[in-house]
Amino acid sequence: RLMGLGLAVFATAYFLLVVTTVLPWFRGGVETHYVSYLSQYGKTAGEVIETMLTRPGLLLGDLLTARTLLYALCVVLPLGFVPLLSPGRLAVGLPIFSLLCLNELTQGDVYPRHHFHAPLVPIVVWAAAAGLGSACRFCSRLRPREQAAADWMSHFVLTSALATGLLFSIGPSGRQFWDAGSDYYWRRLYIPGKRAEMFARIEGKIPLNSCVASTDFVHPRFTHHQRSYDYSDYPRAVNDNKPGAPPDTDYIVIDTQHRYSTIKRPDQVPEYRDHLADWELWPDTTEGYFIVLERNWEERGKTSE
């Protein structure tokens, strides 16, 4: 118990030190971007912690919601609620669980599919392993043979995992993977379609020594360029804490067909719409799948002068 308490105190102190001091020091005083996921509590890590401590009503109001209950069910239901039988071990994941409930980035999907949820998984499985022993001992009082009780509980957890996987998983064990009408249909996600064909028409034409701002899904394809910026509605430190393309951007690439795309036409790109002379629109060779804008540095220099 003393070792566990000491580890909890050390881990908390280490976390606060890294978030409030170490990471900002390496980033030249800029707050770690994780703080922006809790923007409802403040703009800095210190403000977020202070708000949570001094305004518990606001914190509890955000935690005690139907979405939190549904998320909790998604965490323990696949293991037949057995983790609840080891509350001490399950409580280890409570801080992570609470932050995930408050994280603005993960609130769009109530199911724990985001990679931010990954640290919680081993804790839940660990609690289930211990909880299974408690469940077996309880069932042995109802059944004459302890081994039969253990077999029954093990099968119960297994079938719970299989059933929830069948209904909710987006992998090969889930129905959505095989359903042609689903957004997670395997042919739609894993077989190169027309978007991939259209993207190949522009990818090689953008020089590797250029700075590229691109939307989600195609953004990773430009990580080997001089700079690769995520073009989105989120404010970025590299863009003076504003959304959009940073000042040194040479190219903007918009994927008009991805799931979260809100831009379908060139006149919907703010940089092109508001500063028409600064950008050159590439002729569309992708049948409207992609919009490519190239910075007109000469014209921008004349405007600055």
Side-chain angles (χ1 to χ4, degrees), residues 13-53:
Y14 176 79
F15 170 77
L16 293 176
L17 177 66
V18 168
V19 172
T20 61
T21 306
V22 178
L23 285 178
W25 184 81
F26 278 104
R27 292 164 58 88
V30 179
E31 286 284 336
T32 174
H33 68 283
Y34 294 111
V35 175
S36 64
Y37 302 151
L38 301 169
S39 61
Q40 69 271 37
Y41 299 102
K43 296 181 179 180
T44 67
E47 290 179 0
V48 170
I49 296 172
E50 181 182 356
T51 302
M52 289 182 175
L53 293 176

Side-chain angles (χ1 to χ4, degrees), residues 157-172:
V157 174
L158 176 61
T159 52
S160 296
L162 289 175
T164 51
L166 176 64
L167 294 175
F168 300 109
S169 173
I170 59 177

